[in-house]
Amino acid sequence: MSSGGERLGVFGGTFDPPHTGHLVAAVNVRYELGLDRVLLVVANDPWQKSADHPVTPAADRLAMVEALVRDVEGLEASALEIERGGPSYAVDTLAQLAAADPGGRRFLIVGSDAAAGLLTWDRCHELPVLATLVLVDRPGVASASPPAGWEFERVEIPRLDISSTDLRRRAAHGRPLDGLVPPGVVSCIRERRIYREQP
């Protein structure tokens, strides 16, 4: 990890599967804010989702994210949360990255619709100390504002209505994912037969 004051985007998620919308968000935020890198941090146990429905194994989700960002300048897949194990909390990841690069700035990237739920995140009040919040807005989609007093930026990206639930269903039934998921991710899904066992 760099120790020289890096401007680092942190884009965490379940990525089940990662798709073109994730890629567009990461690329546009990096460009608009002049970030050195954006890490797509794969959750080990996304506790706010795994309690409600099964989640694809972390190793498969990491492989898909690696395929997503392969050959995309400035984007990297990160296994930090998988290596740490247990439930995944953004605050722990940001603290780990801050310790690795005390002089750097971190930018926590979330969909603007997620801003309304930030207060449900673990130790949420530590987040503004560790990172600047980046809200990704899509035209025509209502966006919430972060809690009062939080430093934040807004970045607008093209609207792409892609549902991970729909993608899993399509993959499970052998329907095409082309155009919704980059070719490398499609190949990864096929080679690892990631969604074929779903009903």
Side-chain angles (χ1 to χ4, degrees):
M1 200 62 63
S2 168
S3 59
E6 186 176 33
R7 290 173 61 83
L8 182 66
V10 181
F11 186 10
T14 309
F15 300 115
D16 194 13
H19 52 68
T20 303
H22 295 128
L23 191 61
V24 167
V27 167
N28 278 270
V29 169
R30 179 173 182 257
Y31 172 79
E32 293 293 340
L33 300 184
L35 305 183
D36 296 303
R37 291 185 297 152
V38 173
L39 297 183
L40 280 75
V41 183
V42 180
N44 180 59
D45 174 8
W47 58 277
Q48 289 188 315
K49 292 185 179 179
S50 59
D52 297 326
H53 60 79
V55 174
T56 300
D60 285 334
R61 292 184 284 111
L62 177 62
M64 289 188 285
V65 172
E66 288 172 340
L68 179 81
V69 302
R70 189 172 295 129
D71 302 323
V72 182
E73 183 181 357
L75 268 54
E76 295 179 19
S78 171
L80 278 178
E81 294 182 349
I82 298 171
E83 292 164 357
R84 193 165 60 239
S88 297
Y89 301 116
V91 66
D92 292 330
T93 300
L94 291 169
Q96 185 175 348
L97 292 168
D101 184 10
R105 284 193 66 189
R106 289 150 301 283
F107 296 80
L108 178 63
I109 302 165
V110 301
S112 60
D113 53 342
L118 284 169
L119 293 180
T120 69
W121 291 23
D122 191 69
R123 292 164 22 233
C124 63
H125 295 292
E126 296 178 31
L127 294 172
V129 178
L130 293 166
T132 297
L133 188 66
V134 180
L135 303 178
V136 178
D137 285 333
R138 293 175 296 155
V141 177
S143 61
S145 293
W150 287 37
E151 181 184 357
F152 69 98
E153 303 271 359
R154 287 191 187 274
V155 174
E156 186 172 295
I157 66 169
R159 181 172 179 173
L160 299 171
D161 290 322
I162 303 174
S163 159
S164 291
T165 301
D166 178 61
L167 293 175
R168 291 193 297 272
R169 189 179 299 117
R170 294 178 68 88
H173 291 94
R175 295 165 64 197
L177 301 176
D178 305 87
L180 303 169
V181 174
V185 180
V186 173
S187 296
C188 182
I189 290 170
R190 288 175 180 160
E191 290 165 8
R192 298 175 76 105
R193 299 181 61 83
I194 293 174
Y195 298 112
R196 297 298 290 174
E197 299 303 318
Q198 292 194 9

